[in-house]
Amino acid sequence: MRAISTHFCLIEPSLISHKLLEGKTILKVDEAEEYASADNIIFSQKAEKGSNGRYWSQTFRAVTKDGKIMRHNGCKIYVGIFLTDGSLMIIGTAAEIPVLTVTPYENAYVAEVAFETSFPNKL
């Protein structure tokens, strides 16, 4: 069974947006910055209904001790969540890239994304 691991990565849009547009599966991106989460990664999604129809509301939250993540605060960047079977679950689409929010605390940084998409991620 696939489950969320304790590692995630941040992927610059220029590295994978063309692959997402072609519908390719993203397995690993060598240039991506990888981070270890100090706690469990939280990912949730739920179906919503809006004026444009049904969509999926996705949220991601991870805590890391790696301060270099601060340089991505407020940036549009894909978030890749490593699953226990070695695959990579991407938050974002070819047309829409999530905005990462990073909040600094003493010896920890909380990375968060709230994203809306037409299709759910499969776990």
Side-chain angles (χ1 to χ4, degrees):
M1 182 175 144
R2 295 176 0 153
I4 294 173
S5 76
T6 58
H7 288 80
F8 67 99
C9 63
L10 301 179
I11 309 166
E12 292 293 333
S14 62
L15 297 174
I16 65 167
S17 57
H18 62 285
K19 292 179 182 178
L20 293 173
L21 189 60
E22 295 170 2
K24 293 184 177 179
T25 300
I26 310 299
L27 300 174
K28 184 172 179 173
V29 179
D30 291 331
E31 300 89 349
E33 290 184 18
E34 293 187 24
Y35 296 90
S37 182
D39 203 354
N40 291 331
I41 291 174
I42 297 170
F43 173 77
S44 65
Q45 60 185 352
K46 64 179 180 173
E48 305 274 351
K49 283 193 176 188
S51 58
N52 292 332
R54 185 179 176 147
Y55 66 94
W56 292 86
S57 176
Q58 299 177 339
T59 57
F60 161 84
R61 183 177 190 275
V63 178
T64 184
K65 295 182 183 222
D66 192 338
K68 72 180 180 182
I69 198 168
M70 279 301 298
R71 67 178 157 204
H72 298 292
N73 184 35
C75 294
K76 286 188 170 191
I77 196 159
Y78 291 107
V79 176
I81 302 172
F82 291 100
L83 302 178
T84 54
D85 69 353
S87 62
L88 188 63
M89 180 175 65
I90 302 292
I91 300 174
T93 67
E96 298 288 330
I97 304 165
V99 175
L100 181 72
T101 302
V102 181
T103 306
Y105 293 95
E106 188 173 337
N107 298 321
Y109 302 85
V110 178
E112 297 176 291
V113 163
F115 187 70
E116 294 176 357
T117 182
S118 301
F119 302 99
N121 271 321
K122 296 178 184 173
L123 280 177

